[in-house]
Amino acid sequence: MEIPSVYLEQAVDQLASLPGVGRRTALRLALDLLKRNDVEIDDFVSALSALKDKVLRCQNCGNISDTPICGICSNPKRDPSIICVVEDIRDVMAIESTSTFNGMYHVLGGLISPMDGIGPQALNIASLPVRIEKDQPKEIILALSATMEGDTTNFYIFKKIKTYDLLVTRISRGIAVGSELQYADELTLGRSLQQRQIFDLQQ
Amino acid sequence: MEIPSVYLEQAVDQLASLPGVGRRTALRLALDLLKRNDVEIDDFVSALSALKDKVLRCQNCGNISDTPICGICSNPKRDPSIICVVEDIRDVMAIESTSTFNGMYHVLGGLISPMDGIGPQALNIASLPVRIEKDQPKEIILALSATMEGDTTNFYIFKKIKTYDLLVTRISRGIAVGSELQYADELTLGRSLQQRQIFDLQQ
């Protein structure tokens, strides 16, 4: 499949570098962009350029923000005694949309993944002990994905912070609310049996 | 799901304007771009800008090209007496990869689709009669998709060119090579029965 334009080929190469975008999809996206007028292309390109120039990371929690300190960290109504450790901004958004958490976040920017060459140094982990010493939180919630990378990262962080006088918790894993037992995978079902909880009418 | 950065939000809006990209995917793409360094972002953005500035359409056939006349139209080994009408560059690439066609193309840039507000004026159709009068081809092959839009466009083009002294053909429709009869949809199977061909040992 040979593209008859060097410039179109370069655009396809770049678009195909995005996660989950193959060359066929990239060509479709590039052809869609080709159909747009100059103003639309300029808007598109400058919105992406702004990612580099304008989007900051909160100096406190590492979350994405337009200001040096993000809206959550600068909100006096949030409880600074609980810090929830998450992988990235999407997890912050997901937890915020549950309206069940009023603490602070610590955004790692990824998970430890030796297979992908991502070590602890590439992530926003070293600043967590510093923050704990400064803010003296009572609890750290580890809210990472239930994957091997999530478990590895949980373990690494736990080792780094276990000497501090605080509670380290992990979000519960088990059968999803509304789902049927028979369709749960063995691992999830096994874990949810092992980590069974006292029956409580209040919950 | 509220994004805590106006600039990230704008980038997500733009990425979500691409075909087949929803807001959740757009956020994933934007976060991937956010992780890249300045040089990478610049390369990405300038490759897309080049689509506007550098990519031309062949003045003869309408195909995408870096030169005013594309590589196929300027190739003296191609047969100018057969013109194959296609929707866009992907169809040119698909037909070229079959190595069974040595004629020229006429690229419409889309199909007539009243539902999407795309009329014949928005497409590279008016230049086809002009080209026929100039180049006097012997055959026009209509190689459009087997969809309602493709049929509509076939019909419109046929009406426009039927007065010229040339053969107008359409690519055959039927059971795909290698596929089993029982899995063909009713419409395809019905048409392939109606449009049955004389059995020929040569083919």
Side-chain angles (χ1 to χ4, degrees):
Chain A
M1 201 162 80
E2 199 184 316
I3 296 175
S5 158
V6 175
Y7 300 106
L8 180 59
E9 176 112 47
Q10 284 169 356
V12 169
D13 286 344
Q14 288 291 341
L15 288 165
S17 73
L18 292 170
V21 177
R23 280 189 68 80
R24 193 176 278 266
T25 304
L27 180 58
R28 190 156 64 101
L29 302 184
L31 291 178
D32 185 82
L33 288 172
L34 256 183
K35 281 185 186 166
R36 302 189 185 191
N37 65 38
D38 285 5
V39 176
E40 289 169 329
I41 286 270
D42 281 341
D43 285 350
F44 190 90
V45 161
S46 58
L48 298 189
S49 295
L51 287 178
K52 186 187 72 176
D53 304 325
K54 305 279 182 65
V55 178
L56 307 174
R57 278 189 175 68
C58 173
Q59 291 167 4
N60 194 44
C61 72
N63 195 13
I64 282 159
S65 171
D66 289 343
T67 48
I69 301 293
C70 76
I72 293 175
C73 286
S74 60
N75 184 346
K77 289 181 183 162
R78 305 285 303 213
D79 180 0
S81 71
I82 308 182
I83 296 176
C84 181
V85 177
V86 293
E87 179 180 348
D88 75 12
I89 179 183
R90 284 171 291 183
D91 303 318
V92 173
M93 288 160 61
I95 294 175
E96 285 297 291
S97 69
T98 68
S99 302
T100 59
F101 180 69
N102 195 39
M104 307 293 227
Y105 293 96
H106 192 83
V107 182
L108 301 180
L111 295 175
I112 296 173
S113 176
M115 294 285 280
D116 301 315
I118 303 173
Q121 289 74 28
L123 305 173
N124 182 30
I125 292 181
S127 63
L128 185 60
V130 179
R131 207 176 151 192
I132 290 172
E133 285 179 21
K134 182 167 66 76
D135 296 342
Q136 304 277 330
K138 293 191 197 118
E139 182 177 353
I140 300 287
I141 305 174
L142 298 172
L144 303 181
S145 295
T147 59
M148 205 172 67
E149 288 79 15
D151 287 343
T152 307
T153 312
N154 275 338
F155 185 66
Y156 182 85
I157 293 176
F158 182 70
K159 278 205 304 178
K160 288 278 165 191
I161 64 176
K162 68 181 175 188
T163 53
Y164 296 102
D165 178 29
L166 46 68
L167 195 65
V168 180
T169 57
R170 198 186 61 188
I171 53 167
S172 64
R173 295 170 183 181
I175 309 297
V177 176
S179 73
E180 292 181 48
L181 217 70
Q182 59 182 312
Y183 299 120
D185 66 290
E186 298 154 10
L187 217 64
T188 300
L189 189 53
R191 283 226 190 164
S192 77
L193 269 171
Q194 282 167 9
Q195 300 173 5
R196 60 194 178 278
Q197 291 159 346
I198 303 286
F199 190 79
D200 181 355
L201 279 177
Q202 308 301 316
Q203 283 188 345
Chain B
M1 201 162 81
E2 199 186 316
I3 296 174
S5 159
V6 175
Y7 300 105
L8 179 60
E9 176 111 48
Q10 284 170 355
V12 169
D13 286 346
Q14 288 292 343
L15 288 165
S17 74
L18 293 170
V21 177
R23 281 189 67 79
R24 191 176 279 267
T25 303
L27 179 58
R28 190 156 63 100
L29 302 184
L31 291 179
D32 184 82
L33 288 173
L34 256 183
K35 282 184 186 167
R36 302 189 185 190
N37 65 37
D38 285 7
V39 177
E40 288 170 331
I41 287 270
D42 281 342
D43 285 351
F44 190 90
V45 161
S46 59
L48 298 189
S49 295
L51 287 178
K52 185 188 74 177
D53 304 325
K54 305 277 182 65
V55 178
L56 308 173
R57 278 189 176 68
C58 172
Q59 291 167 6
N60 194 43
C61 72
N63 195 12
I64 282 160
S65 171
D66 290 342
T67 47
I69 300 293
C70 76
I72 292 174
C73 286
S74 60
N75 184 347
K77 289 181 183 161
R78 307 284 303 211
D79 180 1
S81 71
I82 308 181
I83 297 176
C84 181
V85 177
V86 293
E87 180 180 348
D88 74 13
I89 179 184
R90 283 172 291 183
D91 304 318
V92 173
M93 286 160 62
I95 293 175
E96 286 297 293
S97 69
T98 68
S99 302
T100 59
F101 181 69
N102 193 40
M104 306 292 227
Y105 292 96
H106 192 83
V107 183
L108 301 179
L111 295 175
I112 297 172
S113 175
M115 295 285 282
D116 301 315
I118 303 173
Q121 290 74 28
L123 305 172
N124 182 30
I125 293 180
S127 64
L128 185 60
V130 179
R131 207 176 151 192
I132 289 172
E133 286 179 22
K134 183 167 66 75
D135 296 341
Q136 305 277 330
K138 292 191 196 117
E139 181 177 354
I140 300 286
I141 304 175
L142 298 172
L144 303 181
S145 294
T147 59
M148 205 172 68
E149 289 79 15
D151 287 343
T152 307
T153 312
N154 273 339
F155 185 67
Y156 182 86
I157 293 176
F158 181 71
K159 277 204 306 178
K160 288 278 164 191
I161 64 175
K162 68 180 174 188
T163 53
Y164 296 103
D165 178 29
L166 44 70
L167 196 64
V168 181
T169 58
R170 198 186 60 188
I171 53 168
S172 63
R173 295 171 182 181
I175 308 297
V177 175
S179 73
E180 293 181 46
L181 217 71
Q182 57 183 312
Y183 299 121
D185 65 289
E186 298 155 11
L187 217 65
T188 300
L189 189 53
R191 282 225 190 166
S192 77
L193 270 171
Q194 282 169 9
Q195 301 174 5
R196 60 195 178 277
Q197 293 159 344
I198 303 286
F199 190 80
D200 182 354
L201 278 178
Q202 308 301 315
Q203 283 188 345

